[in-house]
Amino acid sequence: MGINRLDFFKVLGLTGVSLAFGGKLNARQTKADQPELENEDQTEFVGILYDSTRCVGCQECEIVCAKTHGLPEPVDEPNPDIVRKTNETRRTVVNLYETTKDAMLVKTQCMHCNEPACASACLTQAMFKTKEGPVIWREDKCMGCRYCMVSCPYDVPKFEYHSSNPKIIKCDMCFDRVNEGSVPACVENCPAEALTFGTRRELIAEARRRINNDPDLYYDGIYGEHEAGGTGVLYISAVPFEELGLNTSLQKKSYPELTKGFLYSVPSIFILWPAVLLGMFKATKNNQNQEEND
Amino acid sequence: MINTEQILAKDNDGKPVWKFLVSELKPRGKYFTPFNIISVPIILIGLVLIVIRFIYGIGSVTNLTQEVPWGLWIGFDVVTGVAFAGGAYVITFMVYILNIKKYHSIVRVTVLNGFLAYVFYAGALLLDLGKPWNVINPIIGNNFGVSSVLFLVAWHFMLYMIAQLIEFSPAIAEWIGAKRARKILSSMTIAAVIFGITLSTLHQSGLGALYLMAKEKIHPLWYSEFIPILFFVSSIFAGLSMVIFEGSISQKVFSDQISEKNHKAHNGILHGLSKICAVTMFVYFFMQILTFIHGKRWNFIDTPMGYWYLTEMIGFVLLPMMLYYFSFRANNLFLIKLASIITMIGIIINRLNVTIIGFRWDAANPYYPSWMEIVVTLTVLFIEIWIFRWIVRRLPVLSESPSWVEEND
Ligand code: SF4
Ligand code: SF4
């Protein structure tokens, strides 16, 4: 990349960004570039592996999800002609796609990103990446600004537009259950064992094992291993993921990375700008009759 | 602690301040002006819509969707409105920091305009919040989302409003005749100006940075990692064009307030501003070209969105830039005003392209604002103009300061 963000901000007239600060910045950025499988206190993130080849489309996950979270049960079924979407009344949906190898099923819900855009967007940390891994939403903090919705690359958070006290609705990987040592309701009730719960590291190993054991069945790849900086929910399937409506054009870097250049430049502007302005003020102060220098 | 009440009471030539304030509340001027006839019904409808919005939810008056969660109220009221309010930091920079006396007569009105703009756009923001009562959370620390650009922007809005209020406060002191308070307040001006310019630099660009994470959602002709700097540079000429436009109207509408001397000086001011606009627009245009090349955008040009992009760049950046330049050379006031109007339309188009038109341009059900969103937007705008007019008719904003000010300084 020829010009980077930081260079550009220097054009603002802030040529004095100190070397020390620049050095620190680079150190932090390289660290952030590495996929983070662990957070600061070394707890491993948990996640869910979804195996599309095992899914039978029974919608049991949708039904138990609705029951667990007090939402209406689904009335429609997976249908190759319609892409069903999650919305303020359902946190997960299963869709049927006509693919190059038969009709295939795919479940969608929040991806529980390693570095979630939604949580870094949230100005009150109502959207929050727990140290265990699930990304949760906390009602008492949320102000309903919907910036999480603007930022999420998967369009996951949904908003109750017709409520005077609206909530953000999204999958929270049944955080309460996970906290009690149990597994998410959908995982527990899936009759086909299409869903597996575990640490992200175990799940990636398991996914690799399945692909290697049956390379004819599986497409060689794990969706979510690198997308958007890596996600807690991982997919394996028989066909390339774009055939299942999964967005494969997302960047591999995490999304919060996109705003870091800007946010890092803030402290330097806050230190430099007032000093520069004060200097200019002093320099022109006694020049009472100055006109615009045409 | 200084007892403000005491200072006010003592300095106001013995007249109780509150009685004076009550007498000032009475409306002045004609009731049936064209502006009043249009604005009053719209404001009334808008207020009803706001009540409906709070009872039945945001979806009852807006067309927002799950894919497009920010619409006209953010894209126009906040993002575009704040760009237009940029005039305040540019003018205070020239007058207080560079000490260019020429623009002194328009400082107060520009700061007042900026201040009201922020107050009302922050107000519009509250309408758009699902849980506006939780707006105090990021202020009181429940919790601080320090990695959020919106957190930065929200804090800056708040602090900048305070800074602008301080910048404007000597006018309030002059109005109620508080001599000592005026002295204290005007001694704070320069600090407020420096703080205010710093905040403006950051939140004008921050408004652009808000959209950085929506990488795949914004049309590639408008998305780039340089949105923040483009937003910042364009806020300079957006704000100044607003100053030119608003100033030209005020010269007519409030001619009774403006002294002969300032009235004459105004043409010189417009002339100077047109040059600054031309230069900053040139820089901006150049940056847009760099961004275009850097982003390898050629492939998108021969599409409907591409034509729209060219319209914006040529018709609403290049053209007004040249107009500003030629009107500066020829000292043609009419052309300056024309250029300011075209520039302002261009800024509206640009901000809406990023926030609404180019946002989810490929969505199956694209977002169009409902008539109710437009009426509420107009309501906010009209109430702001009402308040502005009320203040200008009473406070020494366009008119000269009272005679005691000079000796006091
Ligand atoms: S998929 Fe969206 S909502 Fe879920 S964690 Fe990632 S950014 Fe947040
Ligand atoms: S809507 Fe709520 S959860 Fe989403 S960013 Fe705003 S405050 Fe955070």
Side-chain angles (χ1 to χ4, degrees), chain A residues 110-113 116-118 135 152-154 156-157 170:
Chain A
C110 172
M111 299 291 289
H112 299 281
C113 308
C118 59
V135 177
C152 168
Y154 295 97
V156 166
K170 83 167 197 64

Side-chain angles (χ1 to χ4, degrees), chain A residues 1-5 8-9 11-12 85-88 116-125 137-155 157-168 247 249-251 255-259 262-263 265-266 269-270 273-278 280-282 284-294, chain B residues 53-60 62 64-71 74 93 96-103 128-135 137-138 142-152 154 156 190 193-195 197-199 201-202 205-206 209-217 223 225-226 228-229 232-233 271-273 275-276 287 290-291 294 328 359-360:
Chain A
M1 193 163 56
I3 325 163
N4 67 30
R5 276 182 301 261
F8 230 81
F9 275 102
V11 183
L12 282 178
K85 286 184 172 162
T86 55
N87 59 30
E88 67 274 32
C118 59
S120 98
C122 182
L123 72 173
T124 60
Q125 297 185 340
W137 173 78
R138 303 183 286 190
E139 173 153 27
D140 58 323
K141 299 187 189 293
C142 175
M143 50 192 246
C145 68
R146 306 189 295 287
Y147 186 33
C148 48
M149 302 170 71
V150 171
S151 303
C152 168
Y154 295 97
D155 271 337
K158 306 290 172 184
F159 184 74
E160 292 179 331
Y161 280 111
H162 291 280
S163 160
S164 60
N165 185 12
K167 294 193 202 50
I168 295 280
N247 191 343
S249 61
L250 295 180
Q251 64 169 20
Y255 278 74
E257 202 66 37
L258 292 167
T259 52
F262 175 76
L263 288 170
S265 69
V266 170
I269 293 185
F270 241 111
W273 238 184
V276 171
L277 292 172
L278 202 62
M280 287 169 143
F281 168 68
K282 288 265 157 65
T284 58
K285 197 175 170 186
N286 301 319
N287 205 350
Q288 285 301 326
N289 296 318
Q290 186 182 352
E291 278 300 311
E292 198 189 1
N293 5 340
D294 281 44
Chain B
R53 172 253 170 275
F54 277 108
I55 298 175
Y56 297 105
I58 294 171
S60 58
T62 71
L64 293 172
T65 66
Q66 301 292 358
E67 279 86 32
V68 184
W70 282 359
I74 301 287
F93 174 71
Y96 292 110
I97 305 294
L98 298 184
N99 205 12
I100 305 173
K101 290 277 181 288
K102 179 171 163 187
Y103 301 111
D128 203 63
L129 292 182
K131 298 170 179 290
W133 48 90
N134 275 347
V135 75
N137 279 348
N142 177 26
N143 289 44
F144 290 141
V146 286
S147 65
S148 168
V149 181
L150 190 58
F151 178 78
L152 178 113
H156 280 196
I190 193 71
V193 165
I194 289 179
F195 192 48
I197 295 170
T198 310
L199 290 170
T201 313
L202 287 170
S205 47
L210 280 180
Y211 287 86
L212 285 178
M213 279 197 282
K215 192 180 175 193
E216 282 84 14
K217 303 183 185 183
Y223 180 88
E225 58 196 298
F226 306 120
I229 185 90
F232 169 68
V233 175
H271 187 231
L273 293 182
K275 183 178 130 190
I276 303 170
M287 285 177 163
L290 283 185
T291 313
H294 182 73
F328 167 72
F359 192 90
R360 276 292 138 98

Side-chain angles (χ1 to χ4, degrees), chain B residues 152-165:
Chain B
L152 178 113
V153 170
W155 264 92
H156 280 196
F157 273 17
M158 215 164 52
L159 295 173
Y160 188 49
M161 278 194 258
I162 298 171
Q164 283 185 313
L165 189 59

